[in-house]
Amino acid sequence: MQPSAKITVNSGPDRGKLLEIAADLVRLGRADDNDLVLTDPTVDEYLLSIIERNGRHAVYTLKPDQVEVDGVHIPSERWVWLPEVAQIRLSPRTAVE
């Protein structure tokens, strides 16, 4: 499968890490079995999932008031569609784009 998007860590201890999304579902967090493993201790083990559907991407988290997309907290336990380019804050230290 061709990469449909990429995630770049642009702040925090993993700054510069890159993940090309080439699957329908990717997960981000501290646990070793995530697609993008982060080392920031303030990021949960399983924090965020991203799906691709028909060329668009949506995010999902179980953690209320922890993840922000373009400065707005996203609701927990709901898929939220992303704009084409988005700044996603995962913790006070770590953000991805």
Short mmCIF file of all heavy atoms in Angstrom, two decimals, residues 23-73:
data_model
loop_
_atom_site.label_atom_id
_atom_site.label_comp_id
_atom_site.label_asym_id
_atom_site.label_seq_id
_atom_site.Cartn_x
_atom_site.Cartn_y
_atom_site.Cartn_z
N ALA A 23 -1.13 2.13 6.16
CA ALA A 23 -2.14 1.17 6.59
C ALA A 23 -3.43 1.92 6.85
O ALA A 23 -3.44 3.14 7.01
CB ALA A 23 -1.66 0.46 7.87
N ASP A 24 -4.54 1.19 6.93
CA ASP A 24 -5.83 1.81 7.20
C ASP A 24 -5.92 2.33 8.62
O ASP A 24 -6.71 3.23 8.91
CB ASP A 24 -6.96 0.82 6.97
CG ASP A 24 -7.16 0.48 5.51
OD1 ASP A 24 -6.71 1.27 4.65
OD2 ASP A 24 -7.74 -0.57 5.23
N LEU A 25 -5.12 1.75 9.54
CA LEU A 25 -5.16 2.13 10.94
C LEU A 25 -3.74 2.18 11.49
O LEU A 25 -2.97 1.25 11.28
CB LEU A 25 -5.97 1.10 11.75
CG LEU A 25 -5.93 1.25 13.27
CD1 LEU A 25 -6.70 2.48 13.72
CD2 LEU A 25 -6.49 0.00 13.94
N VAL A 26 -3.39 3.28 12.16
CA VAL A 26 -2.11 3.38 12.86
C VAL A 26 -2.39 3.88 14.28
O VAL A 26 -3.36 4.58 14.52
CB VAL A 26 -1.09 4.30 12.15
CG1 VAL A 26 -0.70 3.74 10.79
CG2 VAL A 26 -1.60 5.72 12.02
N ARG A 27 -1.49 3.48 15.19
CA ARG A 27 -1.64 3.88 16.60
C ARG A 27 -0.39 4.59 17.07
O ARG A 27 0.72 4.24 16.67
CB ARG A 27 -1.90 2.65 17.47
CG ARG A 27 -3.22 1.98 17.14
CD ARG A 27 -3.46 0.75 17.95
NE ARG A 27 -2.34 -0.17 17.77
CZ ARG A 27 -2.03 -1.16 18.60
NH1 ARG A 27 -2.74 -1.35 19.68
NH2 ARG A 27 -1.02 -1.95 18.36
N LEU A 28 -0.59 5.57 17.96
CA LEU A 28 0.51 6.35 18.53
C LEU A 28 0.45 6.25 20.05
O LEU A 28 -0.64 6.28 20.63
CB LEU A 28 0.38 7.83 18.16
CG LEU A 28 0.68 8.26 16.74
CD1 LEU A 28 -0.37 7.81 15.77
CD2 LEU A 28 0.80 9.76 16.69
N GLY A 29 1.61 6.14 20.67
CA GLY A 29 1.69 6.11 22.12
C GLY A 29 3.03 5.57 22.56
O GLY A 29 3.93 5.35 21.75
N ARG A 30 3.18 5.32 23.87
CA ARG A 30 4.45 4.85 24.43
C ARG A 30 4.66 3.34 24.32
O ARG A 30 5.78 2.88 24.36
CB ARG A 30 4.55 5.25 25.91
CG ARG A 30 5.01 6.66 26.12
CD ARG A 30 5.41 6.95 27.57
NE ARG A 30 5.17 5.91 28.53
CZ ARG A 30 4.09 5.81 29.31
NH1 ARG A 30 3.13 6.71 29.22
NH2 ARG A 30 3.96 4.84 30.18
N ALA A 31 3.61 2.56 24.18
CA ALA A 31 3.74 1.10 24.15
C ALA A 31 4.50 0.66 22.90
O ALA A 31 4.37 1.26 21.82
CB ALA A 31 2.37 0.44 24.19
N ASP A 32 5.30 -0.38 23.05
CA ASP A 32 6.16 -0.86 21.96
C ASP A 32 5.41 -1.37 20.74
O ASP A 32 5.99 -1.45 19.66
CB ASP A 32 7.08 -1.97 22.47
CG ASP A 32 8.14 -1.46 23.43
OD1 ASP A 32 8.46 -0.25 23.37
OD2 ASP A 32 8.64 -2.26 24.24
N ASP A 33 4.15 -1.74 20.88
CA ASP A 33 3.43 -2.27 19.72
C ASP A 33 2.64 -1.20 18.96
O ASP A 33 1.87 -1.52 18.05
CB ASP A 33 2.53 -3.44 20.12
CG ASP A 33 1.51 -3.09 21.18
OD1 ASP A 33 1.66 -2.05 21.86
OD2 ASP A 33 0.55 -3.86 21.34
N ASN A 34 2.84 0.08 19.29
CA ASN A 34 2.26 1.16 18.49
C ASN A 34 3.03 1.30 17.19
O ASN A 34 4.19 0.90 17.09
CB ASN A 34 2.32 2.49 19.26
CG ASN A 34 1.27 2.58 20.33
OD1 ASN A 34 0.09 2.56 20.05
ND2 ASN A 34 1.70 2.66 21.58
N ASP A 35 2.39 1.89 16.18
CA ASP A 35 3.08 2.15 14.91
C ASP A 35 4.09 3.28 15.06
O ASP A 35 5.15 3.26 14.44
CB ASP A 35 2.05 2.48 13.82
CG ASP A 35 1.10 1.32 13.63
OD1 ASP A 35 1.52 0.30 13.06
OD2 ASP A 35 -0.06 1.42 14.07
N LEU A 36 3.76 4.30 15.85
CA LEU A 36 4.69 5.37 16.19
C LEU A 36 4.87 5.34 17.70
O LEU A 36 3.98 5.71 18.45
CB LEU A 36 4.17 6.73 15.72
CG LEU A 36 5.08 7.93 16.00
CD1 LEU A 36 6.44 7.75 15.32
CD2 LEU A 36 4.44 9.22 15.55
N VAL A 37 6.03 4.84 18.12
CA VAL A 37 6.33 4.71 19.55
C VAL A 37 7.02 5.99 20.01
O VAL A 37 8.02 6.41 19.44
CB VAL A 37 7.24 3.48 19.81
CG1 VAL A 37 7.60 3.40 21.27
CG2 VAL A 37 6.56 2.21 19.33
N LEU A 38 6.45 6.59 21.05
CA LEU A 38 6.97 7.84 21.60
C LEU A 38 7.59 7.58 22.97
O LEU A 38 7.16 6.69 23.69
CB LEU A 38 5.85 8.87 21.70
CG LEU A 38 5.18 9.18 20.36
CD1 LEU A 38 3.87 9.91 20.57
CD2 LEU A 38 6.11 9.97 19.47
N THR A 39 8.60 8.37 23.33
CA THR A 39 9.28 8.17 24.61
C THR A 39 8.90 9.19 25.67
O THR A 39 9.33 9.06 26.82
CB THR A 39 10.81 8.21 24.42
OG1 THR A 39 11.19 9.49 23.90
CG2 THR A 39 11.28 7.10 23.49
N ASP A 40 8.10 10.17 25.33
CA ASP A 40 7.66 11.20 26.28
C ASP A 40 6.85 10.51 27.39
O ASP A 40 5.79 9.92 27.13
CB ASP A 40 6.80 12.23 25.55
CG ASP A 40 6.30 13.36 26.43
OD1 ASP A 40 6.40 13.26 27.67
OD2 ASP A 40 5.79 14.34 25.87
N PRO A 41 7.29 10.58 28.66
CA PRO A 41 6.58 9.90 29.74
C PRO A 41 5.19 10.48 30.01
O PRO A 41 4.38 9.84 30.69
CB PRO A 41 7.49 10.07 30.95
CG PRO A 41 8.38 11.21 30.63
CD PRO A 41 8.49 11.26 29.13
N THR A 42 4.88 11.66 29.48
CA THR A 42 3.55 12.23 29.69
C THR A 42 2.54 11.78 28.63
O THR A 42 1.37 12.14 28.70
CB THR A 42 3.61 13.77 29.73
OG1 THR A 42 4.06 14.26 28.46
CG2 THR A 42 4.54 14.26 30.83
N VAL A 43 2.99 11.00 27.65
CA VAL A 43 2.10 10.43 26.63
C VAL A 43 1.65 9.05 27.11
O VAL A 43 2.46 8.27 27.59
CB VAL A 43 2.84 10.32 25.27
CG1 VAL A 43 2.03 9.52 24.27
CG2 VAL A 43 3.15 11.70 24.71
N ASP A 44 0.37 8.75 27.00
CA ASP A 44 -0.14 7.45 27.42
C ASP A 44 0.39 6.33 26.52
O ASP A 44 0.81 6.58 25.39
CB ASP A 44 -1.67 7.44 27.36
CG ASP A 44 -2.31 8.18 28.51
OD1 ASP A 44 -1.58 8.66 29.40
OD2 ASP A 44 -3.55 8.29 28.52
N GLU A 45 0.30 5.10 27.04
CA GLU A 45 0.79 3.95 26.28
C GLU A 45 0.05 3.80 24.96
O GLU A 45 0.65 3.50 23.93
CB GLU A 45 0.66 2.68 27.10
CG GLU A 45 1.67 2.59 28.22
CD GLU A 45 1.64 1.25 28.90
OE1 GLU A 45 0.55 0.65 29.04
OE2 GLU A 45 2.73 0.78 29.26
N TYR A 46 -1.26 3.95 24.98
CA TYR A 46 -2.09 3.86 23.77
C TYR A 46 -2.94 5.13 23.73
O TYR A 46 -4.03 5.17 24.27
CB TYR A 46 -2.98 2.62 23.80
CG TYR A 46 -2.18 1.35 23.85
CD1 TYR A 46 -1.98 0.67 25.04
CD2 TYR A 46 -1.61 0.83 22.70
CE1 TYR A 46 -1.24 -0.49 25.09
CE2 TYR A 46 -0.85 -0.33 22.73
CZ TYR A 46 -0.68 -0.99 23.93
OH TYR A 46 0.07 -2.14 23.96
N LEU A 47 -2.42 6.15 23.10
CA LEU A 47 -3.08 7.46 23.18
C LEU A 47 -4.01 7.74 22.01
O LEU A 47 -5.11 8.24 22.17
CB LEU A 47 -2.04 8.57 23.27
CG LEU A 47 -2.59 9.99 23.34
CD1 LEU A 47 -3.52 10.15 24.54
CD2 LEU A 47 -1.49 11.00 23.37
N LEU A 48 -3.56 7.44 20.79
CA LEU A 48 -4.27 7.94 19.62
C LEU A 48 -4.27 6.91 18.51
O LEU A 48 -3.26 6.25 18.27
CB LEU A 48 -3.57 9.21 19.12
CG LEU A 48 -4.26 10.01 18.03
CD1 LEU A 48 -5.46 10.74 18.60
CD2 LEU A 48 -3.29 11.01 17.42
N SER A 49 -5.41 6.78 17.84
CA SER A 49 -5.51 5.96 16.63
C SER A 49 -5.88 6.88 15.48
O SER A 49 -6.62 7.85 15.66
CB SER A 49 -6.60 4.89 16.78
OG SER A 49 -6.26 3.99 17.80
N ILE A 50 -5.37 6.56 14.30
CA ILE A 50 -5.69 7.32 13.09
C ILE A 50 -6.12 6.33 12.02
O ILE A 50 -5.42 5.32 11.78
CB ILE A 50 -4.47 8.13 12.58
CG1 ILE A 50 -4.00 9.12 13.65
CG2 ILE A 50 -4.81 8.86 11.28
CD1 ILE A 50 -2.73 9.88 13.28
N ILE A 51 -7.26 6.60 11.38
CA ILE A 51 -7.72 5.76 10.27
C ILE A 51 -7.71 6.58 8.99
O ILE A 51 -7.75 7.81 9.02
CB ILE A 51 -9.14 5.19 10.48
CG1 ILE A 51 -10.16 6.31 10.63
CG2 ILE A 51 -9.17 4.21 11.63
CD1 ILE A 51 -11.59 5.85 10.47
N GLU A 52 -7.66 5.87 7.87
CA GLU A 52 -7.77 6.49 6.55
C GLU A 52 -9.00 5.90 5.88
O GLU A 52 -9.16 4.68 5.85
CB GLU A 52 -6.51 6.22 5.72
CG GLU A 52 -6.47 6.96 4.40
CD GLU A 52 -7.14 6.22 3.26
OE1 GLU A 52 -7.14 4.98 3.25
OE2 GLU A 52 -7.68 6.89 2.37
N ARG A 53 -9.88 6.77 5.41
CA ARG A 53 -11.08 6.35 4.68
C ARG A 53 -11.28 7.27 3.50
O ARG A 53 -11.42 8.48 3.67
CB ARG A 53 -12.33 6.40 5.56
CG ARG A 53 -12.32 5.43 6.73
CD ARG A 53 -12.50 3.99 6.24
NE ARG A 53 -12.59 3.06 7.34
CZ ARG A 53 -11.57 2.40 7.87
NH1 ARG A 53 -10.35 2.56 7.40
NH2 ARG A 53 -11.76 1.56 8.86
N ASN A 54 -11.25 6.70 2.31
CA ASN A 54 -11.51 7.45 1.08
C ASN A 54 -10.66 8.71 0.97
O ASN A 54 -11.13 9.77 0.61
CB ASN A 54 -12.99 7.81 0.98
CG ASN A 54 -13.87 6.59 0.95
OD1 ASN A 54 -13.54 5.60 0.30
ND2 ASN A 54 -14.97 6.62 1.68
N GLY A 55 -9.38 8.59 1.33
CA GLY A 55 -8.45 9.70 1.18
C GLY A 55 -8.48 10.70 2.32
O GLY A 55 -7.75 11.68 2.30
N ARG A 56 -9.31 10.49 3.32
CA ARG A 56 -9.38 11.38 4.49
C ARG A 56 -8.91 10.62 5.72
O ARG A 56 -8.96 9.40 5.77
CB ARG A 56 -10.81 11.87 4.71
CG ARG A 56 -11.31 12.75 3.59
CD ARG A 56 -12.67 13.31 3.89
NE ARG A 56 -12.60 14.20 5.05
CZ ARG A 56 -13.65 14.52 5.79
NH1 ARG A 56 -14.85 14.05 5.51
NH2 ARG A 56 -13.52 15.34 6.82
N HIS A 57 -8.48 11.36 6.73
CA HIS A 57 -7.99 10.77 7.97
C HIS A 57 -8.82 11.27 9.16
O HIS A 57 -9.24 12.43 9.18
CB HIS A 57 -6.52 11.10 8.19
CG HIS A 57 -5.65 10.46 7.17
ND1 HIS A 57 -5.37 11.05 5.95
CD2 HIS A 57 -5.01 9.27 7.16
CE1 HIS A 57 -4.61 10.24 5.25
NE2 HIS A 57 -4.37 9.15 5.96
N ALA A 58 -9.02 10.37 10.12
CA ALA A 58 -9.73 10.72 11.35
C ALA A 58 -8.93 10.19 12.53
O ALA A 58 -8.20 9.22 12.41
CB ALA A 58 -11.13 10.12 11.35
N VAL A 59 -9.07 10.86 13.68
CA VAL A 59 -8.37 10.46 14.90
C VAL A 59 -9.38 10.03 15.95
O VAL A 59 -10.53 10.47 15.96
CB VAL A 59 -7.47 11.58 15.46
CG1 VAL A 59 -6.34 11.89 14.50
CG2 VAL A 59 -8.26 12.83 15.77
N TYR A 60 -8.89 9.17 16.88
CA TYR A 60 -9.71 8.64 17.96
C TYR A 60 -8.84 8.50 19.20
O TYR A 60 -7.70 8.02 19.11
CB TYR A 60 -10.25 7.27 17.56
CG TYR A 60 -11.14 6.62 18.57
CD1 TYR A 60 -12.51 6.83 18.55
CD2 TYR A 60 -10.63 5.76 19.53
CE1 TYR A 60 -13.35 6.21 19.47
CE2 TYR A 60 -11.46 5.14 20.46
CZ TYR A 60 -12.81 5.37 20.42
OH TYR A 60 -13.64 4.77 21.32
N THR A 61 -9.37 8.89 20.35
CA THR A 61 -8.66 8.70 21.61
C THR A 61 -9.66 8.31 22.69
O THR A 61 -10.84 8.68 22.62
CB THR A 61 -7.89 9.97 22.04
OG1 THR A 61 -7.12 9.66 23.21
CG2 THR A 61 -8.80 11.13 22.31
N LEU A 62 -9.18 7.55 23.66
CA LEU A 62 -10.00 7.20 24.83
C LEU A 62 -9.81 8.20 25.96
O LEU A 62 -10.54 8.17 26.95
CB LEU A 62 -9.63 5.80 25.34
CG LEU A 62 -9.98 4.65 24.41
CD1 LEU A 62 -9.38 3.35 24.93
CD2 LEU A 62 -11.49 4.52 24.27
N LYS A 63 -8.82 9.08 25.82
CA LYS A 63 -8.45 10.00 26.90
C LYS A 63 -9.15 11.35 26.74
O LYS A 63 -8.87 12.10 25.81
CB LYS A 63 -6.94 10.22 26.90
CG LYS A 63 -6.13 8.94 26.96
CD LYS A 63 -6.42 8.20 28.24
CE LYS A 63 -5.67 6.89 28.28
NZ LYS A 63 -5.95 6.14 29.47
N PRO A 64 -10.06 11.69 27.66
CA PRO A 64 -10.75 12.98 27.55
C PRO A 64 -9.80 14.15 27.82
O PRO A 64 -8.93 14.07 28.68
CB PRO A 64 -11.84 12.90 28.62
CG PRO A 64 -11.41 11.84 29.56
CD PRO A 64 -10.51 10.91 28.80
N ASP A 65 -9.97 15.20 27.06
CA ASP A 65 -9.24 16.47 27.24
C ASP A 65 -7.73 16.31 27.21
O ASP A 65 -7.00 17.08 27.84
CB ASP A 65 -9.66 17.16 28.55
CG ASP A 65 -11.12 17.54 28.53
OD1 ASP A 65 -11.62 17.93 27.46
OD2 ASP A 65 -11.78 17.43 29.58
N GLN A 66 -7.21 15.33 26.49
CA GLN A 66 -5.76 15.17 26.42
C GLN A 66 -5.21 15.51 25.04
O GLN A 66 -4.12 16.04 24.93
CB GLN A 66 -5.35 13.76 26.81
CG GLN A 66 -3.85 13.62 26.93
CD GLN A 66 -3.44 12.37 27.67
OE1 GLN A 66 -4.25 11.70 28.29
NE2 GLN A 66 -2.17 12.05 27.59
N VAL A 67 -5.95 15.23 23.99
CA VAL A 67 -5.46 15.44 22.63
C VAL A 67 -6.12 16.68 22.04
O VAL A 67 -7.34 16.85 22.13
CB VAL A 67 -5.75 14.20 21.75
CG1 VAL A 67 -5.32 14.45 20.31
CG2 VAL A 67 -5.06 12.97 22.32
N GLU A 68 -5.28 17.54 21.44
CA GLU A 68 -5.79 18.73 20.76
C GLU A 68 -5.46 18.65 19.27
O GLU A 68 -4.37 18.23 18.90
CB GLU A 68 -5.11 19.99 21.29
CG GLU A 68 -5.44 20.35 22.70
CD GLU A 68 -4.70 21.61 23.14
OE1 GLU A 68 -4.02 22.26 22.32
OE2 GLU A 68 -4.80 21.94 24.33
N VAL A 69 -6.40 19.07 18.46
CA VAL A 69 -6.18 19.22 17.02
C VAL A 69 -6.31 20.70 16.70
O VAL A 69 -7.37 21.29 16.95
CB VAL A 69 -7.16 18.38 16.19
CG1 VAL A 69 -7.01 18.68 14.71
CG2 VAL A 69 -6.97 16.89 16.47
N ASP A 70 -5.24 21.29 16.22
CA ASP A 70 -5.21 22.72 15.91
C ASP A 70 -5.72 23.57 17.08
O ASP A 70 -6.49 24.52 16.90
CB ASP A 70 -6.00 23.01 14.63
CG ASP A 70 -5.32 22.41 13.40
OD1 ASP A 70 -4.09 22.22 13.43
OD2 ASP A 70 -6.03 22.13 12.42
N GLY A 71 -5.29 23.20 18.30
CA GLY A 71 -5.59 23.99 19.48
C GLY A 71 -6.93 23.70 20.14
O GLY A 71 -7.28 24.34 21.12
N VAL A 72 -7.70 22.74 19.62
CA VAL A 72 -9.01 22.42 20.18
C VAL A 72 -9.01 20.98 20.70
O VAL A 72 -8.63 20.06 19.96
CB VAL A 72 -10.12 22.58 19.10
CG1 VAL A 72 -11.47 22.19 19.65
CG2 VAL A 72 -10.13 24.00 18.56
N HIS A 73 -9.41 20.79 21.96
CA HIS A 73 -9.50 19.44 22.51
C HIS A 73 -10.52 18.63 21.71
O HIS A 73 -11.61 19.12 21.43
CB HIS A 73 -9.93 19.46 23.98
CG HIS A 73 -8.82 19.79 24.90
ND1 HIS A 73 -8.70 21.02 25.49
CD2 HIS A 73 -7.76 19.07 25.34
CE1 HIS A 73 -7.62 21.04 26.25
NE2 HIS A 73 -7.03 19.87 26.17
#
